[in-house]
Amino acid sequence: MSHARAFWLFVGPFAAGLLVFVYVPIGWSVLLSFFDARNTVTPVEFVGLRNYADMLTDGPFLRSLGTFSVFAAFIVPLTFVLALVLALLVSQISFMQAFFRSVFFLPTACSYVVASLVWKLSVFNGLRSGLANTVLSWFGADPVAWTVSTSPPWYWLVLVTLRLWLQLGFYMILFIAGLQRIPPVLYEAAALDGARSWQAFRFVTLPQLRTTSVAVLLLLLIGAYQAFDEFYNVLGTDRGYPPFARPPLIYLYYTALGSGGQDFGHGSAGAVILTVLIVGVTLLQGRVVRR
Amino acid sequence: MKALRYLALSIAAVLFLVPFYLVVRNGLVSEAEISAASWTFLPSSVRWENFAELFSDPAVPLVRSMVNSLVVAVLQTLGQLLLCSLAGYGLARIPYRYSGVMFYFVVATLMIPAAVTFVPTFVVVSTLGWVSDLRGLVIPGLFSGFTAFLFRQYFLNFPRELEEAARIDGLGHWGTFWRVVVPNSRGFFAALGVIAFVTSWNQFLWPLVIAQDQESWTVQVALSTFLTAQSINVHELFLAAAVSITPLVIVFVAMQRWLVRGVAETGIKE
């Protein structure tokens, strides 16, 4: 068997799939984004850049990027710090280490749908007898209507704690793997130099975790960018989705596939803008890290 | 200091476990107790008959949607492992003129998260007539550039001596791959396979978009429909959620070693 034939035998099926399910869709969407296409996935009328102009001037799409920014501003630093703290705590103990690691990792077994169910209808159900309101009442505070409260926007607390619970264990595992790669001899040298434990953390652990930290930050940011599940399930009701707290994918979902008519022209333009933004961030990050 | 560490870890552990307890607790109490005037940690009575009620409720297609989820997750796991490992091996080990081009063809897709392009993918898949169809649920998720990339990195470090011994025995690329490389890479396949299964079982956005008929709902879509519409009893919903996470809790307990390795492998691109 020649190398060429063997190569295509191995790589061909996968490459064909990538072509059909990644490259063709993106190409088709770029095309659709220049057309009017309502309730059809074939181009109807050429409109030039109007779909893009609509998306970039009309409020909802830009507001969805604002919503993403608010979400990311909370969830990225909180997950980063708490996952690192958990990783340090777990790796510094020996008795019951596997138990604690498993407990913190277990929420990964839950889907966002199940977590949304617990957060929306149990912990933060807004009833006086809900768990969060029960805890508040111990401190004499009034009950809060968590998921429907817009001023102050308590729904952020619901969404951020939900994602924290679900993803902390995953990032803790990444930090533990990073910590295990630090050569013990570095700590021995630091101890010989008389470093206190926070100095060892500041001058050995943190610099040695640089690769892991950059990867974790990027994964957290990309994850927040794609947020959909918990927003849809926590805030969606039988009367539809509220007009606020719509991150980009929620907005695109209701534009392209919502019950109010399918608009694939604008939906495609939105998808293209989101793709360009995320590719830009990835390339920029690669350049900054390589420096 | 040591006691403080254990205290902090124990408080965190309780916080992490409470939501699991709530799923089971709310699934096994009466409807009245969920919305009772004051909240109690332990329910006044455990109603095992809720199980019979849930499984005999014709409005809740729990069994059907669990079967759909299982079929999708198994097919996606096996399909992804097969296609991506073959591609990864070809890219890592078969010398060919266009191998470099094909590598860039694969890694370029790493920059684009699949969820961001759900509208484009829906446009193509609906043109193929795969809406509310098993093919539409399974096939678009098989082609993970990231998994192929991870396999390539792994095979680059596979001991060449083993492959050369197979070559001397007269095996070609195909025979070497199946008889020598795969049997010696079981751990790596298991690690990526567990991740693929968990991801597939829990995925929501794509099934929501593509499984429009109730017959084709996955369990996540079914739970979400009842959660957002709040059209069934809350205790039934919680019990259904408890049933839906059972397969994954089993996977977690049985395969934890591979799972942790899989997370560490997939989380960080070296």
Side-chain angles (χ1 to χ4, degrees):
Chain A
M1 188 160 56
S2 73
H3 285 315
R5 271 188 61 191
F7 183 85
W8 288 116
L9 182 65
F10 278 84
V11 182
F14 180 78
L18 273 192
L19 187 69
V20 175
F21 294 106
V22 179
Y23 283 98
V24 168
I26 291 173
W28 194 325
S29 270
V30 171
L31 183 76
L32 273 184
S33 69
F34 297 114
F35 284 84
D36 195 37
R38 284 171 209 275
N39 299 312
T40 169
V41 294
T42 46
V44 176
E45 187 200 343
F46 184 75
V47 295
L49 291 171
R50 205 174 68 207
N51 289 335
Y52 287 96
D54 289 348
M55 297 303 271
L56 292 172
T57 51
D58 156 34
F61 183 71
L62 292 181
R63 266 206 301 282
S64 79
L65 290 175
T67 301
F68 153 70
S69 309
V70 172
F71 188 49
F74 284 105
I75 197 69
V76 173
L78 273 174
T79 311
F80 186 92
V81 171
L82 291 175
L84 182 56
V85 168
L86 283 183
L88 288 167
L89 284 172
V90 167
S91 55
Q92 281 167 352
I93 60 168
S94 46
F95 175 64
M96 300 229 317
Q97 187 189 44
F99 168 78
F100 282 115
R101 199 189 60 184
S102 302
V103 167
F104 299 141
F105 187 56
L106 198 57
T108 315
C110 251
S111 68
Y112 274 97
V113 181
V114 172
S116 301
L117 169 64
V118 179
W119 258 244
K120 182 186 192 175
L121 296 186
S122 187
V123 180
F124 293 103
N125 62 7
L127 298 176
R128 185 171 287 274
S129 63
L131 182 55
N133 282 337
T134 302
V135 172
L136 277 185
S137 73
W138 297 341
F139 301 97
D142 288 332
V144 172
W146 298 99
T147 55
V148 291
S149 167
T150 50
S151 61
W154 284 117
Y155 60 84
W156 280 124
L157 187 82
V158 181
L159 295 166
V160 169
T161 51
L162 189 159
R163 186 169 278 242
L164 268 181
W165 179 72
L166 252 176
Q167 70 180 12
L168 267 178
F170 179 89
Y171 291 99
M172 173 200 73
I173 297 281
L174 295 189
F175 275 124
I176 290 177
L179 289 170
Q180 283 169 347
R181 281 196 291 266
I182 301 176
V185 62
L186 292 181
Y187 289 106
E188 288 155 22
L192 280 181
D193 290 344
R196 292 159 179 277
S197 59
W198 71 266
Q199 286 172 320
F201 175 74
R202 169 70 185 80
F203 295 107
V204 178
T205 313
L206 273 188
Q208 289 288 316
L209 280 180
R210 193 181 137 81
T211 316
T212 309
S213 303
V214 172
V216 164
L217 283 177
L218 193 68
L219 285 171
L220 282 171
L221 203 62
I222 294 174
Y225 194 65
Q226 300 180 70
F228 178 89
D229 299 9
E230 74 269 49
F231 283 81
Y232 180 93
N233 286 298
V234 168
L235 298 179
T237 66
D238 50 346
R239 295 180 304 282
Y241 195 90
F244 54 88
R246 296 184 165 206
L249 293 194
I250 289 278
Y251 173 70
L252 272 194
Y253 176 80
Y254 285 106
T255 301
L257 296 156
S259 47
Q262 305 186 330
D263 184 346
F264 288 108
H266 285 97
S268 297
V272 170
I273 296 170
L274 290 182
T275 306
V276 168
L277 283 177
I278 195 79
V279 168
V281 169
T282 312
L283 290 178
L284 200 70
Q285 178 267 348
R287 191 168 262 190
V288 171
V289 171
R290 227 169 281 136
R291 233 174 241 163
Chain B
M1 192 62 200
K2 203 173 166 192
L4 267 180
R5 262 180 218 142
Y6 278 99
L7 182 68
L9 284 168
S10 305
I11 293 172
V14 170
L15 288 176
F16 270 73
L17 290 174
V18 161
F20 285 104
Y21 170 70
L22 290 177
V23 176
V24 179
R25 174 198 183 273
N26 292 343
L28 292 175
V29 298
S30 66
E31 197 67 9
E33 191 153 359
I34 291 184
S35 49
S38 71
W39 195 81
T40 52
F41 192 76
L42 289 173
S44 58
S45 68
V46 176
R47 288 165 50 98
W48 296 108
E49 61 268 34
N50 286 5
F51 274 104
E53 188 192 344
L54 172 67
F55 282 102
S56 63
D57 187 342
V60 188
L62 182 63
V63 175
R64 175 69 197 247
S65 65
M66 292 266 293
V67 170
N68 285 344
S69 281
L70 191 68
V71 170
V72 170
V74 168
L75 288 179
Q76 276 196 328
T77 304
L78 296 178
Q80 215 185 79
L81 285 181
L82 174 71
L83 288 161
C84 297
S85 68
L86 284 174
Y89 188 77
L91 290 170
R93 280 292 198 253
I94 303 179
Y96 176 52
R97 196 152 35 122
Y98 299 113
S99 159
V101 177
M102 292 312 292
F103 177 63
Y104 283 110
F105 183 79
V106 172
V107 291
T109 64
L110 295 186
M111 292 185 295
I112 306 168
V116 171
T117 56
F118 78 89
V119 175
T121 312
F122 176 79
V123 165
V124 166
V125 170
S126 69
T127 310
L128 292 169
W130 290 357
V131 175
S132 297
D133 188 302
L134 187 63
R135 288 169 297 183
L137 276 166
V138 173
I139 296 177
L142 295 180
F143 306 96
S144 160
F146 189 46
T147 307
F149 174 79
L150 290 171
F151 270 113
R152 172 186 174 270
Q153 301 305 95
Y154 170 83
F155 290 135
L156 281 177
N157 295 320
F158 191 85
R160 271 193 188 272
E161 309 81 70
L162 285 176
E163 287 166 280
E164 272 152 21
R167 204 60 43 82
I168 291 164
D169 290 343
L171 292 173
H173 289 296
W174 190 253
T176 306
F177 180 74
W178 287 110
R179 295 215 207 144
V180 177
V181 176
V182 173
N184 284 293
S185 309
R186 284 197 204 107
F188 194 75
F189 275 85
L192 294 199
V194 181
I195 297 284
F197 187 87
V198 173
T199 309
S200 179
W201 184 271
N202 283 339
Q203 68 171 340
F204 175 63
L205 174 54
W206 181 250
L208 175 73
V209 166
I210 206 72
Q212 299 182 350
D213 293 345
Q214 183 172 329
E215 293 285 287
S216 60
W217 283 355
T218 64
V219 72
Q220 309 300 342
V221 177
L223 289 174
S224 165
T225 305
F226 294 116
L227 169 60
T228 50
Q230 297 189 15
S231 54
I232 61 166
N233 292 327
V234 175
H235 70 262
E236 257 184 85
L237 191 48
F238 274 100
L239 193 59
V243 173
S244 83
I245 47 178
T246 311
L248 282 201
V249 171
I250 293 170
V251 166
F252 264 54
V253 173
M255 310 272 294
Q256 170 136 58
R257 201 175 125 219
W258 305 119
L259 195 58
V260 168
R261 181 177 163 189
V263 170
E265 301 263 13
T266 53
I268 312 284
K269 291 175 257 185
E270 293 273 344

